[in-house]
Amino acid sequence: MKKLLLLLSGFIFTCTSYASHFSGGEIRYEFNGTNYDVYLSLYKICEGGASLTNAATINVSSVSQTYNANVNLTFLGFDTVNVSCPLSASRCINPTSAIPGYITARFKGTMSLPTAATDWVVSYTSAARISSLVNLNSGASAQMYLYTNIDNSTAINSNPLMASSPSYFMLVNTPTIIPLQAIDPEGDALVYDLVAPLTASGSNATYAAGYSATAPLGSTGTATINTTNNTLTLNSPATGTFAIGLRVREYRNSVLVGEYIREFTLAVMPGTGSGITIPAPTSTTSFTYYTCPGQTTNSIVLNFVDPTSTDSVYLDVTTPTLSGWTFSTSVTPGIPSASATINWTTPGTLNPATLPHFFIKVRARDNGCPKAVADYAVVVRTRQCTADSVWPGDANGDFTVNIYDPLAIAIAAGQTGPTRPGASTSWTAQACPNWANSFVTNNTNMKHADCNGDGTVNSSDLAAVTANYSLSHPKGGRSKTTGANDLYFDMTGVNMAPGAYVSIPIKLGSSTQTISNVYAIATQVQLNGLSLSTAPAITNNNSWLDNGSNAINFSYGASATAVDWVLGRTNQQNVSGQGTIGTLNFMVPATAKIGDNFTLSFTNTVLIDKDGAERYDINQVDATGAVQQSNGIAGVAARISAVSIVPNPSGNTAYLNMSLKADADVNVTVLDVTGKVVWSVNDNYTKGEQSIALPAGNLAGGMYMVRLSTGEGNASVMKWIKQ
């Protein structure tokens, strides 16, 4: 039990003047299969005065649609966060208590948006914010404005759920770490930041001198977000109450798809002691689960630990009330950890279209004084049971064959299990017994990664991905992040001349930017401004991520000017590094005009660790340029005066002839039309005429590119026809 000494004198006196006002709130929405359910939460410090309201109205508006309407919400009830000590009630029960108490009023409504638009705003306004906040000027802080936005022009969306009520209190000059566990129904990437509370749309509350949105506890206080662990660290040098705005933004395919603000009041109490520690989950990768109609076995195990090793941890599980569903839970408390097991049976009447997801909530608390309490949520996403059958190529079980499935194959590489009866690569649901292991991030069974059904996950499963690329069954999706780690093209020495075959290094990180604990990458490379006859290809010959032959290196021509690429390791070991991770290979059209502009760009980039967690931020850097005049042989390599392939076209015998002005290290590489290296040799050759036998007898008929380079870094590419 944490030992706290609360100094009662003065603190209660400073609080009583604003007892009847709101101390924060939030508004969020969820897509229910047809319309949007809107949830409003209003927070209040328990301290006498007027009761917390049981009626609320929200506003729905769109400037582009000239739409403005109000929606009355239904009152769901009050939720009091119990932070009392065993021998002392909180202020929700005893108004003179030194222990703060918080109560939440919860509301729900349903709205139907009449048209598609990018700028829907759902808002709530109240003129009843606490007036005596330390960090806000009282005149500007009276009105409270909460909002969330909706873009229904291209896709559906639901806001993430941050289940924990903001019952945040702490001791002066004592750091407190608050978990920021939000869970998104669509799996969107979430970004947290501190913002100013709002008094109206676009209008920030005015801060008192020395305070700001990013320093709500003053210039000598601490208010920092750890983006790796998703925690908020707070430390105040002064007692009192402070308004804090926390914004949660959602990114899907690098695009901002939604955001909302949670405003809350932090109570900083006088006293001494070790501070308040909050029980937190031991892992945040197991909070998304899937179920389907008639699935009889559904099980979740959650583990929590308190940072104070002597604290007891208790868990309370709240399952939803759903007609036809059967839930059972068991909890094992302990010191300093506890676990909860949640089981349920899904009825066969489930319709995923009308129940896309639901939440299960867990309240974790310790035996400190006051108690540290936090709420967490698990999202259960529903889907058709055919998703539990294997669809060849859908390796991650997200209903679509795309660039992310080779990532799943890389993660599960080497896993074995029962073979799939009657296995084929045809795009149809194929029943298969579950394997022993599942993917950590979404609990999908690894049998899906065995795309060809032979009982082993390896690179041969990529053939099914290629065969069924872009096909889908009942839809799902995946997200990714944006951020600071650079992914870029190294155009140094690249001569984009008409008819030239170019090899452009793709680099991740730099000499000042090492990327840690990486397992696989997926991205699409797009070439705009060049009319290619065949899609480019990407190789991993010089990759720091993995340049071995066992790596999952998947290159799929999405179009003549776009290639989807996945590079993943297969040994379940992360790696760190920077520099070249792959090489983009393609032929500049012979019809390209000198001066034509082009752009190379990345899109849909995802970087994962060995468990499949997308914890890495990627800054996708474009490359631009113009088609150039050809260097010619003289400009390609100063030591080579002449080069030719004879005969060309050839039969089963062909030679690369060259004339060297001096001794040189020469590399000769033969690539097929997809950019795949089919043969190479690197050796030192002496001055004079040299002839190198090409592997004509071992290659099928067709067109090949022969790339000749020296240690000077330049290269010449010639077309070779094998008949």
Side-chain angles (χ1 to χ4, degrees):
M1 179 180 292
K2 289 178 279 290
K3 304 295 185 181
L4 303 182
L5 176 60
L6 305 180
L7 304 181
L8 184 58
S9 62
F11 184 69
I12 296 177
F13 175 78
T14 63
C15 295
T16 54
S17 62
Y18 51 85
S20 63
H21 301 291
F22 292 137
S23 59
E26 66 180 56
I27 187 170
R28 49 180 295 277
Y29 61 85
E30 295 178 28
F31 184 71
N32 62 18
T34 304
N35 299 310
Y36 292 88
D37 292 328
V38 181
Y39 297 89
L40 173 68
S41 298
L42 298 175
Y43 314 131
K44 182 187 184 307
I45 295 177
C46 294
E47 292 175 330
S51 301
L52 191 59
T53 181
N54 61 1
T57 299
I58 60 170
N59 179 261
V60 182
S61 65
S62 167
V63 173
S64 68
Q65 305 301 309
T66 61
Y67 184 91
N68 191 297
N70 291 330
V71 177
N72 293 323
L73 303 184
T74 299
F75 176 61
L76 299 180
F78 295 116
D79 179 14
T80 301
V81 177
N82 181 18
V83 294
S84 300
C85 294
L87 300 178
S88 179
S90 75
R91 207 168 292 144
C92 290
I93 300 173
N94 179 6
T96 64
S97 173
I99 300 174
Y102 294 81
I103 187 169
T104 300
R106 302 197 184 278
F107 304 86
K108 179 183 177 181
T110 300
M111 63 182 183
S112 176
L113 301 181
T115 58
T118 61
D119 62 344
W120 291 106
V121 176
V122 184
S123 62
Y124 172 81
T125 303
S126 171
R129 181 188 281 125
I130 292 173
S131 60
S132 299
L133 293 163
V134 173
N135 59 347
L136 295 185
N137 290 330
S138 58
S141 66
Q143 184 157 288
M144 180 178 69
Y145 176 81
L146 307 173
Y147 81 94
T148 183
N149 51 29
I150 300 178
D151 177 356
N152 68 335
S153 62
T154 57
I156 63 170
N157 183 54
S158 297
N159 286 141
L161 171 65
M162 190 181 301
S164 185
S165 295
S167 55
Y168 302 142
F169 57 94
M170 55 184 284
L171 294 181
V172 66
N173 290 315
T174 305
T176 297
I177 299 177
I178 298 173
L180 299 178
Q181 191 257 354
I183 191 73
D184 189 83
E186 290 85 23
D188 294 330
L190 305 181
V191 176
Y192 306 89
D193 61 346
L194 297 175
V195 297
L198 298 174
T199 59
S201 177
S203 299
N204 295 338
T206 304
Y207 281 93
Y211 298 93
S212 66
T214 55
L217 302 180
S219 57
T220 60
T222 300
T224 57
I225 293 175
N226 185 316
T227 57
T228 300
N229 300 327
N230 288 335
T231 56
L232 172 63
T233 299
L234 300 172
N235 189 6
S236 175
T239 60
T241 53
F242 301 81
I244 298 178
L246 176 66
R247 180 170 59 180
V248 184
R249 289 179 289 176
E250 309 166 65
Y251 287 90
R252 187 181 306 166
N253 298 335
S254 302
V255 176
L256 180 66
V257 296
E259 67 179 38
Y260 71 93
I261 291 178
R262 164 179 283 188
E263 181 183 331
F264 63 93
T265 299
L266 173 69
V268 181
M269 303 179 295
T272 60
S274 58
I276 297 164
T277 55
I278 300 174
T282 57
S283 172
T284 58
T285 60
S286 58
F287 280 77
T288 299
Y289 286 80
Y290 294 84
T291 193
C292 69
Q295 187 168 321
T296 57
T297 303
N298 304 271
S299 183
I300 299 174
V301 178
L302 303 175
N303 297 289
F304 296 81
V305 65
D306 194 290
T308 300
S309 61
T310 56
D311 272 2
S312 298
V313 179
Y314 305 92
L315 304 176
D316 302 303
V317 180
T318 302
T319 56
T321 301
L322 300 171
S323 178
W325 296 66
T326 302
F327 291 90
S328 64
T329 63
S330 62
V331 173
T332 303
I335 305 174
S337 60
S339 64
T341 301
I342 307 163
N343 299 298
W344 75 89
T345 298
T346 305
T349 55
L350 164 68
N351 183 355
T354 58
L355 182 66
H357 65 270
F358 61 85
F359 293 101
I360 299 174
K361 299 179 181 179
V362 179
R363 174 164 291 179
R365 52 189 172 85
D366 66 8
N367 63 329
C369 184
K371 292 185 178 71
V373 181
D375 293 335
Y376 302 91
V378 170
V379 63
V380 179
R381 299 174 63 180
T382 64
R383 59 188 182 186
Q384 296 297 337
C385 284
T386 51
D388 198 48
S389 297
V390 174
W391 290 72
D394 180 18
N396 61 356
D398 71 348
F399 317 109
T400 302
V401 182
N402 53 26
I403 198 171
Y404 307 119
D405 293 298
L407 290 177
I409 294 173
I411 295 167
Q415 293 288 323
T416 59
T419 58
R420 192 164 68 244
S424 73
T425 58
S426 299
W427 186 241
T428 183
Q430 300 176 26
C432 181
N434 281 339
W435 288 17
N437 295 321
S438 298
F439 292 105
V440 173
T441 54
N442 62 8
N443 205 38
T444 297
N445 194 272
M446 285 187 175
K447 68 182 181 182
H448 294 272
D450 180 24
C451 297
N452 62 3
D454 65 358
T456 302
V457 180
N458 52 33
S459 59
S460 64
D461 294 302
L462 294 172
V465 178
T466 300
N468 297 316
Y469 207 77
S470 298
L471 297 180
S472 62
H473 53 104
K475 279 278 189 179
R478 191 174 176 104
S479 66
K480 74 200 133 322
T481 58
T482 59
N485 298 316
D486 290 340
L487 179 68
Y488 59 99
F489 303 94
D490 185 357
M491 303 298 293
T492 305
V494 176
N495 182 238
M496 298 283 285
Y501 190 88
V502 295
S503 297
I504 303 173
I506 297 173
K507 294 190 174 182
L508 177 64
S510 63
S511 59
T512 60
Q513 190 184 65
T514 298
I515 314 300
S516 301
N517 298 321
V518 180
Y519 191 73
I521 186 172
T523 190
Q524 183 180 90
V525 174
Q526 298 178 346
L527 292 82
N528 296 315
L530 297 173
S531 299
L532 306 185
S533 58
T534 58
I538 302 178
T539 57
N540 67 319
N541 295 13
N542 300 310
S543 176
W544 64 259
L545 180 58
D546 198 322
N547 59 12
S549 59
N550 291 328
I552 297 297
N553 188 74
F554 178 77
S555 182
Y556 181 87
S559 70
T561 57
V563 56
D564 287 348
W565 178 55
V566 173
L567 176 61
R569 299 166 64 78
T570 58
N571 61 356
Q572 285 70 51
Q573 297 295 318
N574 291 328
V575 67
S576 302
Q578 56 83 19
T580 299
I581 59 168
T583 303
L584 175 67
N585 304 285
F586 63 93
M587 178 176 286
V588 180
T591 56
K593 296 179 181 179
I594 306 300
D596 282 353
N597 294 320
F598 66 85
T599 301
L600 307 180
S601 60
F602 300 99
T603 187
N604 296 336
T605 301
V606 170
L607 199 63
I608 64 170
D609 65 12
K610 64 182 180 63
D611 294 323
E614 301 171 21
R615 300 186 311 200
Y616 306 95
D617 294 334
I618 301 298
N619 181 29
Q620 302 172 125
V621 182
D622 293 349
T624 59
V627 177
Q628 304 165 318
Q629 184 70 41
S630 175
N631 284 336
I633 293 297
V636 168
R639 299 189 184 189
I640 301 177
S641 59
V643 63
S644 63
I645 298 174
V646 293
N648 192 10
S650 74
N652 289 331
T653 302
Y655 295 90
L656 174 68
N657 296 330
M658 61 183 175
S659 179
L660 297 177
K661 297 179 181 179
D663 295 355
D665 289 325
V666 178
N667 177 264
V668 180
T669 303
V670 178
L671 306 98
D672 64 17
V673 291
T674 69
K676 179 182 178 182
V677 176
V678 297
W679 182 84
S680 66
V681 63
N682 188 77
D683 208 345
N684 182 266
Y685 295 90
T686 59
K687 176 183 178 181
E689 302 296 327
Q690 300 290 341
S691 183
I692 301 174
L694 298 176
N698 298 326
L699 298 177
M703 185 179 73
Y704 296 89
M705 299 297 148
V706 179
R707 187 178 187 273
L708 177 68
S709 62
T710 68
E712 294 142 321
N714 297 315
S716 174
V717 179
M718 295 157 287
K719 184 185 298 184
W720 169 37
I721 303 297
K722 161 66 191 309
Q723 295 179 331

